[in-house]
Amino acid sequence: MNHRISDIADAATRLFLQQGYAKTQISHIAKAVGVSVGTIYLDFTGKKEIMHFILKCTIDPLFAEQEFKRPITDDLFLGLENEIITLFEKSGNDFASHLQGDMMEYDFESLISDTFDLFSRYAVGCLFIEKNQFDFKNLARHYIVYRKQFLDTMMRYIRVFIDQGTVRPLEHLELSTTLIIEILSWWAMDIRYTSFETKEISMDLAKQICMDNILVAYKR
C-alpha cells in the first residue's frame, strides 16, 4: 500500500475516534499527516471514502495490501455496511461455538485470551461505531444487538465455569461479566485510540496485564 495512503488512514482513524467523524474535516487530516488538502484529494475523493477505507481494512486486513488506483472512490466499498453487519453475526456465532461442544476442552483462560484477541482485531471498527453512533444509526443499531448477544454469551461461558468449579461463584454475574468485558475492551481498544492519555504499548503486554489480573481475580 502507498505509504501516504497509510499515513492518511492512520491520522483519520485517530481523528474520527477522538473528535468524531462529523467534526473532522479534510483539512484536519491533512494537517495531522503534514500535507496539503490538495494532496489528500490525490489519494481519496473525500472524507467518506477515507472512512470506508478504514472500516474495510478493519474487517479485511488483506485489503490494504493491494495497489490502488488513485484517487480511491466509493465504488470500492459497495455493500460495505452489509459486510460489517454480516461480520457481527459471524463473529458472534464463532465466539459462542464452544458452548455447542465439549466445554471440557475450553477453559476460562482461553475465554479471556480469545475475547482480548477479538477486541484487539476489530478495535477500530467497534470504536468508530461507538464514538459515531448518531451519524451511523443503522450500524449502531446492529452493533447494540451484537453487544447484548456478546454479553449473554460471556455470561453463559462464565456460568459453565462456575458450575465446573474453575471460576469462583459470583453474586452479580451480569455486572461481573460486564466488568470483565470492559477491562478487556479498554486494554485492547481504548488505550490505543481514545483514552485520555493514549499509550503506545504492545498488544502482547496489554494482553498479559489483562490475563494476569483477571485470572487472579476470578479463577478458583
Side-chain angles (χ1 to χ4, degrees):
M1 179 171 57
N2 179 286
H3 287 301
R4 194 169 65 213
I5 290 176
S6 177
D7 290 343
I8 292 170
D10 288 345
T13 294
R14 294 192 177 276
L15 290 168
F16 291 160
L17 297 183
Q18 291 172 2
Q19 67 183 37
Y21 174 80
K23 292 182 179 179
T24 299
Q25 301 175 11
I26 289 291
S27 60
H28 300 154
I29 299 171
K31 182 177 180 180
V33 177
V35 299
S36 68
V37 169
T39 298
I40 299 291
Y41 284 113
L42 292 176
D43 293 317
F44 292 93
T45 53
K47 183 175 73 169
K48 181 176 66 174
E49 287 71 23
I50 298 174
M51 179 267 290
H52 284 162
F53 180 86
I54 292 167
L55 292 179
K56 180 69 174 181
C57 291
T58 300
I59 66 174
D60 180 11
L62 294 179
F63 179 79
E65 296 182 6
Q66 62 185 288
E67 290 297 322
F68 297 97
K69 180 181 178 181
R70 296 180 295 157
I72 293 172
T73 70
D74 222 31
D75 293 341
L76 278 177
F77 310 111
L78 295 176
L80 177 59
E81 188 167 298
N82 287 333
E83 287 182 51
I84 295 171
I85 293 169
T86 299
L87 181 62
F88 288 156
E89 181 177 354
K90 181 180 185 304
S91 63
N93 291 337
D94 290 347
F95 184 72
S97 62
H98 296 285
L99 289 165
Q100 314 305 319
D102 183 5
M103 280 290 291
M104 298 304 294
E105 299 297 320
Y106 196 64
D107 57 20
F108 184 60
E109 183 172 354
S110 298
L111 173 68
I112 299 305
S113 176
D114 289 348
T115 303
F116 183 95
D117 291 344
L118 183 64
F119 289 170
S120 178
R121 178 178 178 184
Y122 297 117
V124 170
C126 291
L127 287 171
F128 181 84
I129 296 171
E130 290 177 16
K131 305 301 180 184
N132 298 280
Q133 58 182 300
F134 299 111
D135 295 303
F136 301 91
K137 293 180 180 179
N138 187 44
L139 278 179
R141 184 170 64 252
H142 286 276
Y143 183 67
I144 288 170
V145 172
Y146 170 73
R147 280 176 60 95
K148 290 179 178 176
Q149 291 175 342
F150 190 89
L151 172 62
D152 180 66
T153 299
M154 282 287 284
M155 289 172 59
R156 290 167 61 196
Y157 273 122
I158 293 174
R159 192 176 289 116
V160 170
F161 297 138
I162 291 172
D163 292 343
Q164 289 177 349
T166 56
V167 168
R168 65 177 177 82
L170 299 173
E171 182 178 358
H172 303 287
L173 178 60
E174 181 175 349
L175 294 177
S176 295
T177 304
T178 300
L179 175 63
I180 291 171
I181 291 173
E182 291 301 319
I183 291 171
L184 291 168
S185 65
W186 193 88
W187 283 91
M189 302 193 303
D190 295 83
I191 194 173
R192 286 187 282 170
Y193 299 107
T194 61
S195 64
F196 183 74
E197 294 180 342
T198 56
K199 297 183 182 297
E200 295 293 336
I201 68 171
S202 72
M203 283 296 94
D204 287 341
L205 178 56
K207 183 176 181 178
Q208 179 186 327
I209 296 296
C210 289
M211 297 288 289
D212 287 349
N213 286 275
I214 293 174
L215 296 182
V216 168
Y218 293 97
K219 280 190 70 174
R220 196 164 191 175

